[in-house]
Amino acid sequence: MTTRIMGGQTPRATTPATKPNEDKNVAEKVVHDVSDAINRAASGVTAELGSTVNDARSLASRALGLHSTAKGTVEQARKVRQDGFQAAFAQNKKDLFEYARQGTISPGALGAVKKGLAVAGLVTGAIDLPGRISTTAKDLRDAMRDGGTQAWNKVGGDVAGVGRSALYVAYGSLEVARDTQKLTAAYKAASSAFSAAAPEAMKSVVRSAATKAAVATIQGRSLADAAHYVTQAATTAAKETGSIAKAVTASANRAAARAALHTGGKAAAEAGLEAGARSATSSIARAAGRFAPGLNVAIAALDTASALSTLRDASASTGKKICSCMTAAGSTVSATNIPIASQLGAAVSIASGVVGGYFFPK
Amino acid sequence: MSRPKKKPGARASGDAAEDRLRAVFERSALVVSLAARDVELPEVQAPSTERLEVTVPRTADLTEDDLARRLQALARGYAQVRECAAGEAVQLGDEVCLDVLGYADGRLIPFSARVQMWTDLTPSPMLPGFFEGLVGVMVGEGTRLQVTLPADYPLERLRGARTTFLVDVCAARQVELPDMQSAAFIEALGRGPTIGAVIESIADELEAELADELWVEAQNLVIDELLRRADAKVSEEAVDEEIRRRWKDGEGRWLVKKRFSSDELQEALAGWLADPLTRADASRRLQASLVLRAIAVREKLQLTPERLERIIQIAGKPFGFAASDLGAALKGNPALAEQVTAMAFHLMALGHVMEKAKVLFEGAPAR
């Protein structure tokens, strides 16, 4: 028996769009269409995230690269209509307006305008300057994508250092029953290969949320702990203590002894949960510091990196932050992102029953 | 102020703006729709949990480098930090916040997209020329870097590859670490009167973290054994959906903001979908969750409010969240509540199995 899991929710009722555009003036049409686009995007965001309509509109506006509020966007468009582009931006960006109007810009002014845009925070504004190098420059990206022959849909044993017999040479042939152990071995082998090639890049720096530095990292003060090098000063300081040898010798056995304290029975259940959650926080920096183009960073690391991003996002709701952290904790122990438990009608009910009552008390 | 006159043949600026806005919106809708797929999941027969025994291999000893790195991380909390101004050129040793896209042979390199990535501006042998090439770039500006990956790059098919990176320097900080052997620094740390005491404290902390990792490994080994017993299979479509959702929540979301076209987004997603380790991981997760669910149903486990609160309390603690926050935060938000509950259900079922399992740790004394 199989059960279908629906991929999306029915969008909720949307905020009504602005009045139909009866005016041929382009700016009026922009006002109408922008508001309509925001409302449609907002409905999708609301459906997806379950956020309030106001939050959704704010998110949708930002996603569209517009002002943070729909009202701000409408106001900008109105100024465009009334006064032209020049009034929508600072007056000293004259050459920028010329480009906006005519598609040309004097080369001599390009550098000054670029700096001005950066200062004004319009780096990713609605108008892209010609020749500007940025990850948002689609023409540049298109130029780098032309003429390529590499098809990333090829599947092969690309993980360095792992024997062919231990790799998934074609995902169509994967059988979990046989290859589950290989998965662990493959990941470890890939990790080892990565470490061998760039040891400084792979080493975790901040692990435990118990440390002050780790807490600061999670709160966004610093991710330098994900550095790919250790300063000479730190190494010297550590060496001169005379405690290094004692500290590192047999540390693995001591760690194992600590872990073994909690084996057996109910203690094991909570010990595992606690360990997984703590490990999730510590892998945040590890994930953030690992920049290896082409190499899978592993789903658990992605979830913890996502948690970090959400925690640092001032606009994220408390509920979203908590949810991302729970996801990260579950991810370290192989949880799926698809809520199969409830959707397959098992022991959990959201809309009714004891759990529903927890979140939606009457 | 009078409206500027248009030159003949010039495109109306409003049309261009309108086109851009509409295009961005369409891309946003595309990303949302990319994850909105139906997928079939099988009912799995719950495997036996009798005589469940795993032995967790001994991990490697801590190294001098581990201790030094942690000491440096602690020192970072007491560093003198100056935020670099927009338009200021970055220098080696700065901390930089980057947006990155990597291309090889005319294609976006999978897993190369980074947004708001903080890193130190120091050379790395794995990416020769990448970090060096950023020196002098102004905060708020972007640059294009050509990097030839080394012959020992971890990914075989990229070894020796000529790659191009688009990099935005979003922010930067000038950081001056304190003297890690100074009395003032040692006193501020509050971990003992001497640097030796600090190192011992660090080693103790790292050992605790190693123990946590051993427990994570123990749980995953138990899951491996359950999967072996269950022999469950999931469809490739289900694996696609698992990967697609994660891509959407992470890289996909960022790429929409980068105004990626629909074919660019498809290319980025294709890289994830094709990666063998990503597929294996996704497949394993689905099966693990299905098997644990089946066990929970067979053994009539109930996620009561008390259990839910306890799980959230434990899982949220390292992140600084308390269970009392959750109810208020998720009231009236069914989507998030469902996700949190589903994760709690997984953790509850796994905890139930771990209670029954016998776990041995190599290197631990016999009990």
Side-chain angles (χ1 to χ4, degrees), chain B residues 242-258:
Chain B
E242 173 78 14
I243 295 171
R244 188 179 294 116
R245 290 189 181 214
R246 292 181 187 279
W247 173 84
K248 175 184 75 67
D249 289 342
E251 185 177 283
R253 180 164 52 97
W254 306 330
L255 297 184
V256 165
K257 293 183 179 180
K258 295 296 181 189

Side-chain angles (χ1 to χ4, degrees), chain B residues 176-225:
Chain B
E176 187 175 333
L177 292 175
D179 178 355
M180 286 173 248
Q181 296 189 78
S182 71
F185 171 66
I186 293 170
E187 183 180 352
L189 280 179
R191 286 171 175 252
T194 64
I195 190 67
V198 170
I199 291 296
E200 287 177 15
S201 166
I202 288 174
D204 183 69
E205 193 172 275
L206 289 176
E207 281 178 18
E209 293 170 13
L210 281 181
D212 286 341
E213 291 186 12
L214 288 172
W215 262 111
V216 172
E217 180 68 4
Q219 291 169 94
N220 279 305
L221 287 174
V222 166
I223 290 172
D224 286 349
E225 176 59 22

